[in-house]
């Protein structure tokens, strides 16, 4: 199964500048592609501003889950609102009035509540995914450490064998060499006495 690589922000990437909430507006407006439309339905879900908003939320869900303090969670929510507001044209959080059918900006206080709720959606599932990833990383590290341990043990045994035989892989040949191959060739730096080994 092929998994899409998603972008996930860290707490260091979350801006911590001042947050000056935009107040709610009583002036009706026409939605643009930069706006986030509140509500449900196919038209709202496919609106460009809502698609961008969902991407911003997904990028921050993991860091929101692992945030230790309420202040950090608030900064994460506010960073999404700032990014929507700082578009060109500026994005707004709009809700449609059921009486007159017009769209109104709900302001940043309600937008922050909406965003915090969106960040909390599916957190139990995400928590399980993070735990599974952590276990997989630990298993991989353990496997690599075991491989390194075995390699070190192999080198240690070879060194013991060389020491017991009075030679090293680049020193004097073993006693049985002359019985099978005749006198060894003149020694050169990095030249092996073993036919199956090639000089670098």
């Amino acid at each position: 199964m092929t998994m899409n690589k998603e972008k996930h922000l860290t707490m260091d990437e979350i801006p911590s500048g001042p947050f000056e909430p935009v107040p709610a507006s009583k002036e009706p407006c026409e939605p643009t592609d930069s706006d986030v439309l509140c509500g449900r339905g196919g038209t709202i879900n496919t609106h460009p501003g809502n698609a961008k908003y969902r991407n911003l939320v997904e990028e921050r869900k993991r860091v929101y889950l692992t945030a230790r303090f309420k202040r950090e969670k608030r900064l994460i929510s506010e960073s999404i609102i700032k990014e929507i507001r700082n578009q060109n044209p500026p994005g707004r959080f709009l809700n449609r009035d059921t009486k007159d059918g017009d769209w109104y900006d709900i302001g940043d206080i309600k937008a922050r509540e909406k965003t915090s709720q969106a960040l909390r959606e599916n957190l139990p599932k995400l928590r399980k995914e993070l735990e599974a990833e952590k276990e997989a990383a630990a298993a991989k590290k353990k496997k690599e450490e075991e491989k390194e341990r075995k390699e070190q043990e192999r080198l240690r045994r070879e060194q013991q064998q060389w020491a017991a035989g009075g030679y090293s892989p680049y020193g004097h040949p073993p006693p049985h060499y002359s019985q099978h191959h005749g006198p060894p060739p003149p020694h050169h730096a990095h030249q092996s006495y073993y036919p199956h080994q090639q000089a670098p």
Side-chain angles (χ1 to χ4, degrees), residues 142-152:
K142 183 177 180 180
K143 184 177 180 180
E144 291 174 348
E145 290 176 346
E146 180 65 13
K147 182 179 179 181
E148 177 66 17
R149 186 191 66 78
K150 289 182 178 180
E151 177 64 14
Q152 293 297 327

Side-chain angles (χ1 to χ4, degrees), residues 34 36 56 80-87 90-93:
S34 298
V36 177
L56 295 175
I80 296 175
I81 297 172
K82 289 178 182 178
E83 194 155 342
I84 293 295
R85 295 286 187 187
N86 291 335
Q87 295 179 98
R92 298 163 295 186
F93 292 83

Side-chain angles (χ1 to χ4, degrees), residues 53 57 60 64 76-81 93 108-121:
Y53 176 77
V57 170
R60 292 160 172 79
Y64 188 87
I76 295 168
S77 299
E78 292 172 354
S79 71
I80 296 175
I81 297 172
F93 292 83
D108 285 351
I109 300 302
K110 286 188 176 180
R112 185 169 60 190
E113 295 174 1
K114 168 186 172 66
T115 302
S116 296
Q117 181 180 358
L119 287 165
R120 290 193 296 268
E121 289 180 357

Side-chain angles (χ1 to χ4, degrees), residues 164-179:
Y167 66 94
S168 72
Y170 300 109
H172 299 291
H176 64 269
Y177 182 92
S178 59
Q179 298 176 6

Side-chain angles (χ1 to χ4, degrees), residues 8-35:
H8 301 292
L9 300 185
T10 65
M11 201 62 215
D12 291 337
E13 296 174 295
I14 302 297
S16 58
F19 179 70
E20 299 178 0
V22 173
S25 175
K26 296 182 180 180
E27 293 293 326
C29 60
E30 287 295 325
T32 70
D33 287 349
S34 298
D35 296 327

